[in-house]
Structures are given as structure tokens and as C-alpha cells.
Amino acid sequence: RSFTSQTDGEARVTRVLREKFPRASAIKVVDISGGCGAMYEIHIESEEFREKRPVQQHQMVNQALSEEIKSMHGLRIFTSTPKP
């Protein structure tokens, strides 16, 4: 597959994250299971994470993806806040 097109799973996870984190300045979702949708790597930069510890940021992402996570084997989450 080309690097520009997302798998259905990547597009679905991205859509959910955009909905749950409207202030996100960057969201990147990559299927790292070879396209079968079993494992994803998520990079999300959002103002909503400011003043929160990394574990709290990851809990917010897990909560947002609670339905999608049920069908996954694994998830790598990388969160950050926009640089001033």
C-alpha cells in the first residue's frame, strides 16, 4: 500500500480521535500489524493534554478509543502538547 492512503482501521481510529480531541493539532495513526488492524501506533498532540501527567494523557486516549480497543491486540500511544 502507498504511504499516503490509510487503511480502514487507521481512518476509523483517526476519525474517533479527531472527534474526541477537537483541539488536537496533530494526529497520526499507523497500523503496525501489517494492515490487519491488530496493533496501532498513535501520535497525538493536543492542548487537552496540557497540565496532565503522561499516564493521564494515555488514559484519555484509551477512554476515547474504548470501543476500538476491544478488537486490538496492542496499542502504542505517544502524546504531547503543542510547543508555545
Side-chain angles (χ1 to χ4, degrees):
R1 76 186 175 100
S2 72
F3 289 109
T4 54
S5 67
Q6 287 188 307
T7 65
D8 291 344
E10 288 168 344
R12 187 176 63 252
V13 172
T14 301
R15 218 174 16 256
V16 171
L17 290 172
R18 288 221 178 279
E19 203 175 280
K20 305 279 186 182
F21 297 98
R23 295 167 65 197
S25 48
I27 294 176
K28 182 180 172 200
V29 177
V30 181
D31 184 336
I32 54 175
S33 63
C36 72
M39 188 159 180
Y40 291 92
E41 184 172 292
I42 294 172
H43 295 261
I44 180 166
E45 179 181 274
S46 180
E47 199 55 51
E48 281 110 324
F49 298 139
R50 199 167 299 286
E51 306 293 319
K52 293 193 170 41
R53 295 190 322 273
V55 70
Q56 293 172 309
Q57 297 172 7
H58 290 208
Q59 286 169 339
M60 290 168 69
V61 174
N62 280 317
Q63 183 69 40
L65 294 173
S66 58
E67 277 307 304
E68 289 71 18
I69 286 174
K70 291 175 185 175
S71 62
M72 293 180 193
H73 291 293
L75 185 60
R76 284 192 206 152
I77 300 171
F78 298 91
T79 53
S80 60
T81 53
K83 304 287 178 265

